[in-house]
Amino acid sequence: MVLPREVLPREALAAPALEAARALVGALLVREPDRIGRIVEVEAYIGTADRASHARFGRTARNAVMFGPPGVAYVYLVYGMYDCLNVVVEPDGRPAAILVRALEPLAGLEAMRDARRRHAAARRRRPGGDPGAVPDERLASGPGALAAAFDIDRAMTGLDLLDPRSPVRLERPAGVGERPAVMATARGGIDYAPEPWRSLPWRFVDPGSPSLSGPPLPGSVGRPR
DNA sequence: GCAAAGATTTGCT
DNA sequence: GCAAATCTTTGCC
């Protein structure tokens, strides 16, 4: 991208999870050598009491990194098919993670399209559709699609996303940048969780983005995204 | 050791 | 709007 960038400061992610989540909206996800996306949708999963969080069973082999220091990647496989990228937040010892649900593609769109096609072909079950045919702005809309477009998988769990040498990094435009307006809504895909967890407004989006996943925002016009 | 369910996506009815 | 695809993680016997 044209503008100068800098790695996100770790303090922004050591903050309480809801603050860290807001700070991630508008940040950049960089995938070496050529892919960049602007984060426009995230969800927070906080503590062992959150009945929607993987940390609700306490510390296990899978979620161990959630209990570690902030800025580290936690990638898990969902429904046996899709990898999902989380950013560990809050200080060491407190289990919290932010699920990165959607990006606005900024650079490397062809690489994203190729990666989507490659991952779809690997799951050679269903004939028909071509995931590489989605419009540019939807190449990384949804956590599974995002991980596919950026070639992110479970082997990257534990990777420091704030290390300038990491192949996947969190950055931001350098200098004094205006941050986007952020809207809070309920999290999705957690019908298994009881109230109040199911309805907590722990999903944060840039409401102006054409790259959001899921149903239309409350109050938005019924135009398709 | 086995059964159940899941932080999703896609295509078809 | 609904259901299938797919396999790891977790819980319970």
Side-chain angles (χ1 to χ4, degrees):
Chain A
M1 95 180 260
V2 288
L3 299 175
R5 325 175 233 120
E6 61 193 12
V7 173
L8 209 62
R10 202 171 300 271
E11 308 88 75
L13 301 182
L18 298 183
E19 291 177 30
R22 287 179 176 275
L24 281 170
V25 177
L28 306 175
L29 186 71
V30 177
R31 164 86 244 228
E32 295 296 346
D34 54 3
R35 282 165 268 185
I36 304 175
R38 180 175 168 277
I39 297 175
V40 295
E41 177 180 347
V42 301
E43 283 176 359
Y45 293 85
I46 312 172
T48 53
D50 180 357
R51 304 313 284 164
S53 172
H54 287 176
R56 66 187 182 279
F57 304 115
R59 186 180 187 130
T60 67
R62 178 176 67 162
N63 67 23
V65 298
M66 286 183 70
F67 291 73
V72 166
Y74 167 47
V75 186
Y76 67 90
L77 182 71
V78 71
Y79 295 109
M81 278 172 286
Y82 303 102
D83 288 291
C84 297
L85 171 68
N86 292 255
V87 180
V88 175
V89 298
E90 297 205 348
D92 196 350
R94 302 172 56 97
I98 308 300
L99 172 66
V100 185
R101 293 190 57 91
L103 305 174
E104 219 169 277
L106 296 181
L109 303 228
E110 285 315 303
M112 296 182 200
R113 206 176 289 284
D114 289 347
R116 288 287 303 271
R117 286 205 173 95
R118 183 153 24 80
H119 282 260
R123 322 211 168 280
R124 67 246 182 241
R125 274 302 182 278
R126 301 240 263 242
D130 178 9
V134 298
D136 287 351
E137 69 275 12
R138 305 200 57 85
L139 280 168
S141 297
L146 181 160
F150 276 62
D151 283 308
I152 290 168
D153 63 76
R154 283 166 293 163
M156 290 178 176
T157 290
L159 183 72
D160 184 3
L161 299 172
L162 302 182
D163 185 331
R165 296 164 301 177
S166 290
V168 181
R169 297 189 305 278
L170 288 168
E171 303 191 353
R172 67 181 182 186
V176 195
E178 63 236 62
R179 295 242 293 264
V182 176
M183 173 181 288
T185 76
R187 296 175 291 182
I190 55 167
D191 287 349
Y192 58 87
E195 296 291 358
W197 314 107
R198 186 198 306 227
S199 302
L200 292 174
W202 287 1
R203 170 177 176 249
F204 300 93
V205 304
D206 173 351
S209 174
S211 302
L212 301 181
S213 73
L217 262 25
S220 77
V221 197
R223 86 187 129 73
R225 293 204 293 272

